[in-house]
Amino acid sequence: MIIAVAVEKVLYKTDRLFYYNVPPNIKICLGQTILVPFGTQNIIRRAFVFKIFEDENRVDLKEVYSAVENAYVLTEEQIKIAIYMVQNLFCTYFEALNVITPHALAGKLKVGFELNTDAIQPLFLFKAELL
């Protein structure tokens, strides 16, 4: 599965939807808050899912780290309003989301790792929750 996400802390001139592969062990829904690797240094950033494609995974895309537990989920109307604002006003996706739902972006994101006992999966798993 491939998703298009709006990533936080992106400059206006580089603000767009970014595409990521979703590993089979992560369940994703539209509007959900997730963690993704961003940039050449793969910095962990918060992102909102704007589109979901049922295509097969592509080799050239990075994978989603994890879904954020207890986080706000955007509605389809809020996503459409944010896209309209980005296309017609001088703002980024996260600035538009902050106007629509300021409480969705409030709070600190606590990111940690936990040891994975399953030998098939990676050794460490990302775990994130909103405080």
Side-chain angles (χ1 to χ4, degrees):
M1 181 186 322
I2 297 174
I3 58 172
V5 301
V7 181
E8 76 174 335
K9 297 180 184 172
V10 176
L11 298 174
Y12 177 77
K13 70 180 192 174
T14 57
D15 188 46
R16 61 181 172 85
L17 294 179
F18 295 90
Y19 295 88
Y20 288 89
N21 286 329
V22 179
N25 62 333
I26 298 177
K27 303 294 182 219
I28 299 289
C29 66
L30 192 66
Q32 187 174 10
T33 307
I34 60 172
L35 295 179
V36 294
F38 187 74
T40 56
Q41 297 177 343
N42 290 329
I43 299 169
I44 299 172
R45 294 269 173 93
R46 179 170 40 178
F48 280 100
V49 179
F50 269 57
K51 294 179 185 174
I52 298 176
F53 304 99
E54 295 299 329
D55 301 339
E56 292 188 18
N57 290 348
R58 289 180 25 197
V59 179
D60 60 330
L61 296 177
K62 297 178 184 179
E63 285 196 348
V64 172
Y65 281 143
S66 71
V68 179
E69 299 173 7
N70 303 327
Y72 184 82
V73 177
L74 298 172
T75 65
E76 286 186 45
E77 288 126 7
Q78 290 170 330
I79 292 172
K80 288 178 184 176
I81 292 170
I83 292 171
Y84 175 83
M85 290 175 71
V86 168
Q87 292 173 347
N88 295 294
L89 304 172
F90 189 72
C91 67
T92 65
Y93 280 99
F94 261 74
E95 289 170 346
L97 291 174
N98 196 27
V99 170
I100 298 167
T101 58
H103 61 279
L105 306 178
K108 290 197 174 194
L109 196 59
K110 180 181 174 186
V111 179
F113 301 93
E114 63 182 33
L115 185 60
N116 188 5
T117 57
D118 186 8
I120 298 171
Q121 297 294 326
L123 183 58
F124 292 100
L125 296 175
F126 287 96
K127 186 172 175 115
E129 61 182 305
L130 203 56
L131 300 178

